[in-house]
Amino acid sequence: MTDAEQLTAALGYQGVPAQLLHTRRFEARPARFDDWPKQTPPALIDAFGASGLLRPWQHQVAAAQHALAGEHVVLATGTASGKSLGYQLPIATQLADGRSTALYLAPTKALGADQLGAWRALARDGATWLRASPYDGDTAPADRTWARQHANLVLTNPDMLHVGILPHHQRWAQFFRNLAYVVIDEAHVYRGVFGSHVAVLLRRLSRVVEHYRGAPPVFIGASATSGNPATAFSTLIGADATAITQDASPHGAVTVGFWETELTDKRGEHGAPIRRSATATGADLLTDFAIAGVRTIAFIRSRRGAEAMAQAASRQLAEVDPSLASRVSAYRAGYLPEERRAVETALKTGRLLGVSSTPALELGIDIAGLDAVVVAGWPGTRASFFQQLGRAGRAGQESWAVYVASDDPLDTYLLHHPDAVFDLAVEDTVIDPVNPHILGAHLCAASAELPLQPEDLARFGPEEQVRAVVDDLVEGGYLRRRPAGWFWTHPEHAAAMVSLRDDGGGPVDIVDVESGALLGSMGSPQTHYQAHPGAVYVHQGRTFLVEDLDEDAHVVMVSRAEPDYFTQARDITEIEILDTHEKRENLDKELVWATGAVKVTTQVVSFQRKALVSGEILGEEPLELAARDLFTTAVWFHAPSERLVAAGLTMDRLPGSLHAAEHAMIGLMPLVASNDRWDIGGVSMALHPDTGQPSVFVYDGHAGGAGFAQRGFAQAEVWLRATADAVRSCPCDQGCPACVQSPKCGNRNSPLDKAGAVTVLEFVLAGLQSSAR
């Protein structure tokens, strides 16, 4: 049987359906072992052996030896490759001296809890010197005190390090005086704005540790495979690191299929064809695998999608066999800890045949024995994709994986260019720790921890850039300059100025109209898109409708509801060039490819209601919200209209061609910048007032920029070539959501010229080939 026939047979199909466009098989690989490092305590070897681990794999030993030698190291290998032992081994060895301490950082509480159990098992099984303790928002006050005074291994998250530990570092003096290692687990998660925040946070941590210890700690990273893990991790921690990438762990054979959802008889804007949603198709595959007795996990990015997929699969299974309906479940962030543990246990024991999950189950939680994975919609990065694929086959058995492409330009491109997933590594982790909008608040926090000295500036980035930010803070009254350095002199905590997972604007409270209960909060910049009047708001599995957005009071009022739709906002945008940082021009200097500072004025003008599973547009409502200004970074190009006409366009086609090229470029940027589509925006104009020419801009949707536009500028040819290929290869006639239509276009995707977009993109590519930086 062919790979495609084997995969579809596992689904219980007779023959290979037309939707399966590509398969790739990865053969099983054997384990490659190594000896324990010489300094490993015998009791630690016995403790590992109690769980069945008799010999380590080669990559685990390599990472441990670098760490034991005092070198920063990142272990970037596949799912289930035992990355945990790569840091457990050197840390437990070092902590056996009775003095040293270690800090473990996880991006999610679930992962931290999973690792806490592993550390306590080692202590129980012989490594009795290990005293591991959690320290997060759920830790009781008495347990926090014990952790500070007695634990030699503290497990926390970046948020707690930021607001709960570093601002009170005096209480942690003994711990920091002996801090030998800091573990950054799932390091590939730290990208974009969140990653930039964490990068500055880690520089603050190193500075405080050096104050007590006289030397920085050794950083050990655990990461999924990525384009350049050594560079990414070095940027994250602010110091050179070595990457271990050769995976010596065993893994069962896995066959991966790329699945194109079928066209429906529905039509979208301007009669564009609509494909069946990835959510609905993912539910079908989850159902078919379950009927065939194949234990499956299906990944989808949204909480709403995870719930909808599980509900649809349960309904379909009930029609086949009522006893199967309860054997699928959703799993996502927002569940109570006991609810998450119940799902994890049911998966491990086989009581569940299928689960639909957000990436909460991607991050290292030990779920072995699964037979298949469904990935509904591109997860954002190759690192996440391979993490998710690795969830199956962990017990060494034959496994299956199906990637279901959503109706999106990037998904469409990858569906028809699988080599971009399996054979290329064009994407890179984007981190910008010197973004002044991010760095400024952290410098205030750092000065509150310890007064900033002139010699401290270089640790946060290029000294001139950092000094300019400090000078602005002094001028704004945030810091005061004294002979001994820069001081924070305000009564409030400086760390409270910034949330690591928010891009600014201050929090807005979400309040239940009926009970008056505070449900949660969100950043002010998100409210116009996610909390406008009429928006559907989801909180811990419950849905609400937004009744009112009071921006003056920073409150969103919501009421309980059970709508059968979700909402999506649409906006219109203007852009002004403030400064050009870098540019390329072709030989006649008429095509300009540039990046720089811009002012973006955006107004959310309407929202659409879309069916939960199918994504069908049910209606659109206007909104009256004020415009907002964003100062950020963009990448753009412009050229004389006569040159574009000479390339094959006409003047009347210019607006639609540029508009379509802009939409497609936004859709394909994640291929090179590892951003989410919603992290960026775009503007196109047939005559832009600043350039005086036809222009297309793509900008970072975060104050000061997030590094995406700069990455797009640097990867121009790869990005634009992929964009042109995606538009050209889409089988629609006039443009659709899979190529040039955008779900948030305030102009209702009009005008759009699909063929003209290809002409524009090929013109720019040709010009770049003759350009000089």
Side-chain angles (χ1 to χ4, degrees):
M1 296 174 68
T2 65
D3 294 341
E5 290 170 336
Q6 291 184 50
L7 173 58
T8 50
L11 284 160
Y13 296 174
Q14 299 294 323
V16 178
Q19 293 96 321
L20 185 61
L21 301 189
H22 176 80
T23 56
R24 179 72 64 96
R25 180 177 174 82
F26 295 92
E27 298 297 339
R29 64 171 185 256
R32 300 193 307 277
F33 295 98
D34 205 342
D35 295 328
W36 296 101
K38 292 181 180 180
Q39 58 267 61
T40 310
L44 179 59
I45 296 175
D46 292 341
F48 283 125
S51 63
L53 203 164
L54 302 180
R55 291 187 69 197
W57 295 317
Q58 290 176 357
H59 62 276
Q60 296 169 326
V61 174
Q65 288 174 331
H66 279 284
L68 289 167
E71 302 169 8
H72 305 301
V73 62
V74 57
L75 186 53
T77 52
T79 309
S81 61
K83 290 188 284 289
S84 297
L85 188 137
Y87 54 75
Q88 289 170 347
L89 179 54
I91 288 174
T93 298
Q94 181 68 39
L95 267 53
D97 66 8
R99 300 183 309 277
S100 297
T101 60
L103 184 68
Y104 170 93
L105 297 175
T108 65
K109 289 182 181 179
L111 178 55
D114 197 67
Q115 286 299 308
L116 177 63
W119 283 106
R120 287 180 169 172
L122 284 175
R124 179 196 65 218
D125 293 335
T128 55
W129 60 90
L130 293 175
R131 301 184 303 277
S133 176
Y135 198 93
D136 57 34
D138 296 331
T139 307
D143 294 332
R144 292 189 184 191
T145 301
W146 189 93
R148 289 194 300 268
Q149 296 178 354
H150 303 292
N152 58 6
L153 174 62
V154 170
L155 296 92
T156 187
N157 52 63
D159 310 85
M160 180 57 74
L161 177 64
H162 169 56
V163 299
I165 296 178
L166 289 182
H168 310 287
H169 60 84
Q170 297 89 347
R171 300 180 185 177
W172 293 83
Q174 185 66 25
F175 184 86
F176 284 142
R177 192 171 291 117
N178 296 291
L179 185 62
Y181 292 112
V182 175
V183 176
I184 313 295
D185 208 353
E186 303 295 346
H188 65 280
V189 170
Y190 301 113
R191 57 190 177 90
V193 172
F194 180 42
S196 300
H197 275 298
V198 173
V200 189
L201 174 68
L202 295 178
R203 287 154 175 77
R204 285 168 48 200
L205 171 63
S206 289
R207 178 170 173 263
V208 168
V209 174
E210 283 190 46
H211 172 73
Y212 288 103
R213 185 171 180 257
V218 172
F219 287 94
I220 308 174
S223 171
T225 54
S226 63
N228 194 337
T231 299
F233 192 65
S234 298
T235 304
L236 182 65
I237 66 173
D240 291 339
T242 300
I244 306 298
T245 58
Q246 295 299 313
D247 194 335
S249 64
H251 200 286
V254 58
T255 300
V256 184
F258 277 34
W259 195 279
E260 183 177 45
T261 58
E262 60 267 38
L263 287 168
T264 69
D265 57 2
K266 299 181 176 65
R267 289 291 181 266
E269 288 185 322
H270 312 297
I274 295 179
R275 293 190 178 274
R276 198 154 180 263
S277 73
T279 303
T281 302
D284 289 350
L285 294 169
L286 186 60
T287 301
D288 294 335
F289 273 131
I291 292 171
V294 177
R295 294 172 59 202
T296 306
I297 181 169
F299 286 106
I300 191 165
R301 298 188 71 175
S302 72
R303 298 181 181 187
R304 180 179 60 238
E307 296 282 5
M309 191 184 297
Q311 292 169 4
S314 182
R315 287 194 303 268
Q316 292 168 178
L317 286 168
E319 296 173 0
V320 176
D321 182 347
S323 68
L324 293 176
S326 62
R327 298 190 68 185
V328 294
S329 172
Y331 182 105
R332 58 170 178 79
Y335 281 6
L336 296 173
E338 55 268 28
E339 293 173 325
R340 292 198 302 267
R341 292 302 179 207
V343 174
E344 292 164 17
T345 300
L347 265 181
K348 291 177 181 178
T349 60
R351 293 201 303 273
L352 280 179
L353 279 173
V355 63
S356 61
S357 173
T358 62
L361 270 181
E362 173 193 322
L363 299 179
I365 300 172
D366 186 15
I367 304 290
L370 295 176
D371 305 302
V373 170
V374 174
V375 180
W378 182 246
T381 66
R382 293 175 70 250
S384 291
F385 180 71
F386 285 108
Q387 282 284 94
Q388 293 177 3
L389 295 194
R391 284 290 135 199
R394 297 185 69 168
Q397 77 276 26
E398 179 91 8
S399 61
W400 319 98
V402 183
Y403 161 52
V404 181
S406 64
D407 214 6
D408 174 271
L410 179 60
D411 284 58
T412 302
Y413 176 80
L414 295 174
L415 187 68
H416 295 280
H417 298 82
D419 58 310
V421 175
F422 296 113
D423 304 320
L424 304 179
V426 296
E427 71 180 10
D428 199 3
T429 301
V430 175
I431 298 173
D432 183 18
V434 293
N435 178 333
H437 294 266
I438 292 172
L439 180 60
H442 283 279
L443 289 175
C444 290
S447 68
E449 291 152 8
L450 296 165
L452 279 174
Q453 306 295 320
E455 58 269 23
D456 288 329
L457 302 186
R459 77 166 63 244
F460 291 100
E463 190 168 349
E464 289 186 6
Q465 286 183 252
V466 178
R467 183 176 287 275
V469 175
V470 171
D471 290 343
D472 287 342
L473 293 171
V474 171
E475 185 177 345
Y478 294 100
L479 297 181
R480 289 189 181 179
R481 182 73 163 100
R482 293 289 184 267
W486 292 272
F487 288 76
W488 173 257
T489 59
H490 300 272
E492 62 269 23
H493 286 297
M497 291 177 61
V498 60
S499 168
L500 301 187
R501 300 173 195 262
D502 181 19
D503 62 357
V508 175
D509 291 333
I510 312 295
V511 177
D512 187 337
V513 169
E514 297 178 3
S515 67
L518 177 64
L519 300 178
S521 64
M522 68 172 60
S524 177
Q526 285 79 46
T527 54
H528 281 197
Y529 292 93
Q530 301 177 19
H532 55 76
V536 175
Y537 174 73
V538 182
H539 179 76
Q540 293 190 353
R542 296 175 297 159
T543 52
F544 299 81
L545 284 178
V546 174
E547 301 287 346
D548 183 49
L549 167 60
D550 188 334
E551 297 188 78
D552 293 331
H554 291 270
V555 172
V556 174
M557 306 301 295
V558 300
S559 60
R560 190 79 169 90
E562 294 288 345
D564 57 356
Y565 60 86
F566 64 96
T567 52
Q568 197 164 75
R570 314 187 75 166
D571 61 33
I572 56 175
T573 306
E574 296 178 351
I575 196 164
E576 176 186 349
I577 299 173
L578 302 178
D579 187 26
T580 300
H581 297 158
E582 194 175 356
K583 68 179 180 179
R584 296 168 61 182
E585 298 176 307
N586 65 348
L587 293 179
D588 59 14
K589 295 189 176 182
E590 291 193 321
L591 170 71
V592 175
W593 177 257
T595 183
V598 296
K599 174 186 174 183
V600 179
T601 302
T602 303
Q603 184 174 20
V604 174
V605 294
S606 66
F607 70 96
Q608 290 182 333
R609 297 188 305 275
K610 295 186 175 182
L612 275 177
V613 176
S614 69
E616 180 183 0
I617 298 173
L618 304 176
E620 183 166 348
E621 302 291 336
L623 289 170
E624 294 184 3
L625 297 171
R628 285 177 166 175
D629 290 337
L630 172 71
F631 294 88
T632 185
T633 303
V635 55
W636 68 86
F637 68 82
H638 58 88
S641 54
E642 56 267 24
R643 293 297 306 276
L644 290 166
V645 169
L649 297 175
T650 55
M651 289 299 294
D652 62 309
R653 292 180 61 196
L654 266 181
S657 301
L658 296 168
H659 193 194
E662 170 219 325
H663 283 182
M665 289 171 65
I666 291 172
L668 267 293
M669 182 180 265
L671 183 70
V672 296
S674 69
N675 63 286
D676 292 327
R677 183 172 182 172
W678 303 97
D679 284 333
I680 57 177
V683 175
S684 60
M685 295 185 70
L687 181 63
H688 189 272
D690 292 337
T691 66
Q693 296 177 341
S695 308
V696 171
F697 296 79
V698 176
Y699 62 87
D700 291 351
H702 302 275
F708 303 130
Q710 292 171 316
R711 176 70 176 168
F713 176 83
Q715 292 289 322
E717 286 85 353
V718 174
W719 177 26
L720 294 175
R721 189 173 297 110
T723 305
D725 287 346
V727 177
R728 189 187 300 109
S729 62
C730 185
C732 71
D733 293 327
Q734 302 298 324
C736 69
C739 58
V740 298
Q741 287 193 354
S742 169
K744 63 175 186 174
C745 178
N747 293 317
R748 296 178 174 81
N749 286 297
S750 179
L752 289 178
D753 187 327
K754 176 185 175 182
V758 175
T759 301
V760 168
L761 293 165
E762 289 180 339
F763 167 79
V764 178
L765 274 168
L768 288 173
Q769 289 174 355
S770 64
S771 70
R773 290 185 184 272

